[in-house]
């Protein structure tokens, strides 16, 4: 079981020959992350895009040009399509967004014929060193990136995606809290109704290899003291590994507030496709980008082993 | 301008003769807070409820019985009604929930004839020492307690309530960020549309004595570095005093995550009625309860001065 982001990177390094393909690689943020991943022996980058621009950016980054394989595709759509194809063919394992829009990349990923689509919804899983417990653990927040107002069925898929992501980190039965503003079911707050429904599905055995409860207010999910004071009994209370927010805003705001208050760097990966998809933004630190690549490599390895 | 929760309590102490009435005072959490507020010279409690039970609880708390005025009301509804009446008559300034449900208390507060209703929506304003800036400042999060999915008009009222609360703390023109998952307007994410609409109202001069912007992702609201890296220009970016979440869950989860990650105690008050209403839960620390009472006293004082 991986207990920290540092261990995550170390474990990913030990995996053999993981390849990260960068779609439209002439992007400084993405290329910087890839160069660093190569330098520390985390993954081997495969660069798809405009050769001259890629070489210029490599030079700017002080990286040796001859170390990287470049697949020349001058058009954005072509570069994205080729990157997806390289993953389908098994020549790369993780897809990293370069100089293209997230929407364009995800459209190619979701293409029914040529994409990496599965029967799953895509969702963004944010992970970081858990700041709430003494034990050495990773905590996840989802989905702060893809589905604005998930339906009940979509929340189930978001749950399954996050649980698989945690399986890839070695958590056999991750504890999942469906968050709301309160811990009682109130018809006026739809998220409490949905959370109770999903907890019910778990009790009926419809969600495997995890422990699920909800609705939980945030304090009950992360603090045993709060749960005790409120006499709230739940197998997840105070021990949640995965926090599922009811909307994209709730999850996004939570993940970012944790990033800015706790002294650690996160990593996030879009899961639910045939391969992990990474979106590195300029405002993410270089450490966060490496964490994302490491997380992607572990997910890809786990997917290969189990599917 | 009050720069910290410690200053908040000191400033509230300096106000003359503030009275806190406790509705159904035979409640250990509420009575404990009131006893402590009296002891440190923050406010004078007025206890409405079942005399024998109140006296028993005072004894349990080690508080001198003869120091507190008790108004005998044995029925819960009567105690709540009497407490509200005492505020209408000016005999108390802040309403503190005792052994009654939040719903029962708020119903009495909102009663058209005998309540404390104004033309405003009620909303919960959470405040705490701002963990994101070097300067000595208070930060607010709202509304994590009252309206599940506020409409545009309700979001405007939530904004006005929070701005008034910050005026009572001496912030002449508080900076308000309407949060979402992203900072661009996207029809698929209603909160971005609403936030842009409210920012537009501000630009037209419809929101006074504050500076409002949105939609802002959390990082842009609290971090100047993030705003610079994303070339995001806004008078609120990196300097938000008040964070407005798009739903009750987003605000509640954000406020609680800040409570659990940052090393400080918050305080929260329900504003929008003729007097501040406080809900102290058992799981709140005694410091948080005193902070809420201090915040309530300052709000009440400000309301008296300005209305």
């Amino acid at each position: 079981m991986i207990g920290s982001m540092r261990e995550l990177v170390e474990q990913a390094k030990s995996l053999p020959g993981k390849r990260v393909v960068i779609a439209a690689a002439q992007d400084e943020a993405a290329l910087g992350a890839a160069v660093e991943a190569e330098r520390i022996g985390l993954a081997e980058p495969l660069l798809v895009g405009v050769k001259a621009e890629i070489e210029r950016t490599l030079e700017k980054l002080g990286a040796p040009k001859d170390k990287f394989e470049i697949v020349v595709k001058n058009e954005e759509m072509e570069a994205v399509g080729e990157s997806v194809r390289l993953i389908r063919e098994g020549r790369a394992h993780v897809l990293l967004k370069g100089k293209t829009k997230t929407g364009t990349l995800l459209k190619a990923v979701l293409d029914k014929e040529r994409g990496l689509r599965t029967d799953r919804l895509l969702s963004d899983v944010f992970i970081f060193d858990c700041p709430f417990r003494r034990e050495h653990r990773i905590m996840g927040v989802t989905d702060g990136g893809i589905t604005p107002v998930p339906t009940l069925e979509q929340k189930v898929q978001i749950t399954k995606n996050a649980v698989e992501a945690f399986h890839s980190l070695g958590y056999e039965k991750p504890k999942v809290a469906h968050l709301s503003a309160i811990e009682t079911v109130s018809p006026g707050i739809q998220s409490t109704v949905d959370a109770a429904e999903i907890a019910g599905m778990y009790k009926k055995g419809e969600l495997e290899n995890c422990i699920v409860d909800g609705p939980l207010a945030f304090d009950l999910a992360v603090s045993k003291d709060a749960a005790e004071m409120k006499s709230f009994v739940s197998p997840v209370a105070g021990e949640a590994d995965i926090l599922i927010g009811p909307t994209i805003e709730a999850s996004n705001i939570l993940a970012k507030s944790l990033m800015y208050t706790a002294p650690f760097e996160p990593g996030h990966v879009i899961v639910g496709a045939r391969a992990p998809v990474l979106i590195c933004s300029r405002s993410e630190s270089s450490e966060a980008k490496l964490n994302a690549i490491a997380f992607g490599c572990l997910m890809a390895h786990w997917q290969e082993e189990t599917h």
Side-chain angles (χ1 to χ4, degrees), chain A:
Chain A
M1 196 182 83
I2 289 170
S4 69
M5 297 304 276
R6 187 184 296 263
E7 274 177 43
L8 176 91
V9 174
E10 289 311 313
Q11 183 116 3
K13 273 187 190 174
S14 74
L15 297 174
K18 280 287 154 280
R19 279 201 140 192
V20 178
V21 61
I22 310 182
Q26 59 277 11
D27 173 76
E28 201 175 323
L31 207 47
V35 164
E36 185 63 10
E38 193 278 336
R39 195 185 65 79
I40 67 167
L42 173 59
E44 200 184 320
L46 185 53
L47 314 179
V48 180
V50 184
K51 193 168 186 214
E53 285 185 42
I54 292 173
E55 288 184 340
R56 206 160 42 232
T57 313
L58 284 173
E59 209 164 299
K60 198 172 161 191
L61 291 163
K65 276 191 271 186
D66 53 354
K67 269 210 171 169
F68 301 94
E69 185 180 342
I70 299 176
V71 178
V72 180
K73 290 286 168 192
N74 292 320
E75 295 301 322
E76 181 184 337
M77 294 301 295
E78 272 187 346
V80 168
E82 177 68 11
S83 301
V84 166
R85 203 178 62 78
L86 288 165
I87 290 201
R88 282 176 72 100
E89 288 183 355
R91 292 196 49 214
H93 312 92
V94 175
L95 179 61
L96 174 57
K97 180 179 90 105
K99 202 163 190 157
T100 180
K101 288 201 171 154
T102 302
T104 307
L105 188 70
L106 294 184
K107 210 176 153 191
V109 167
L110 291 173
D111 187 281
K112 276 185 187 160
E113 279 165 26
R114 287 170 299 171
L116 303 169
R117 198 189 184 104
T118 65
D119 57 349
R120 283 280 176 75
L121 185 74
L122 298 185
S123 56
D124 193 42
V125 180
F126 235 100
I127 60 169
F128 39 79
D129 294 327
C130 176
F132 305 110
R133 294 164 70 181
R134 295 235 178 106
E135 305 108 282
H136 204 55
R137 288 185 91 88
I138 293 282
M139 173 170 256
V141 171
T142 188
D143 164 36
I146 306 285
T147 307
V149 187
T151 61
L152 181 68
E153 173 52 27
Q154 288 175 320
K155 286 178 182 175
V156 171
Q157 294 198 28
I158 287 168
T159 307
K160 289 181 178 169
N161 281 350
V163 166
E164 286 203 357
F166 268 68
H167 288 164
S168 83
L169 303 176
Y171 289 69
E172 281 180 28
K173 271 181 177 274
K175 295 189 171 184
V176 181
H178 278 268
L179 298 180
S180 185
I182 49 173
E183 54 276 7
T184 46
V185 178
S186 159
I189 304 182
Q190 185 59 37
S191 59
T192 65
V193 178
D194 287 358
E197 190 91 16
I198 296 171
M201 291 170 68
Y202 163 70
K203 279 178 199 142
K204 279 188 265 170
E206 293 170 32
L207 293 162
E208 290 177 330
N209 301 319
C210 56
I211 298 169
V212 181
D213 204 7
L216 268 80
F218 181 85
D219 51 339
L220 298 178
V222 305
S223 162
K224 281 205 168 174
D225 287 350
E228 250 171 53
M229 267 187 284
K230 290 188 178 169
S231 308
F232 185 80
V233 179
S234 155
V236 171
E239 293 187 336
D241 296 308
I242 299 167
L243 304 175
I244 303 196
T247 60
I248 197 172
E249 296 103 332
S251 302
N252 188 284
I253 293 170
L254 173 60
K256 286 186 179 146
S257 86
L258 293 173
M259 271 169 61
Y260 278 88
T261 46
F264 47 59
E265 289 297 329
H268 68 113
V269 166
I270 296 173
V271 296
R274 275 213 241 165
V277 179
L278 314 185
I279 312 285
C280 285
S281 110
R282 270 174 304 158
S283 67
E284 280 173 39
S285 71
S286 127
E287 207 181 325
K289 287 169 193 161
L290 286 179
N291 287 344
I293 292 174
F295 187 15
C297 289
L298 281 164
M299 270 295 293
H301 179 72
W302 183 87
Q303 285 180 320
E304 267 170 46
E305 300 266 294
T306 55
H307 290 294

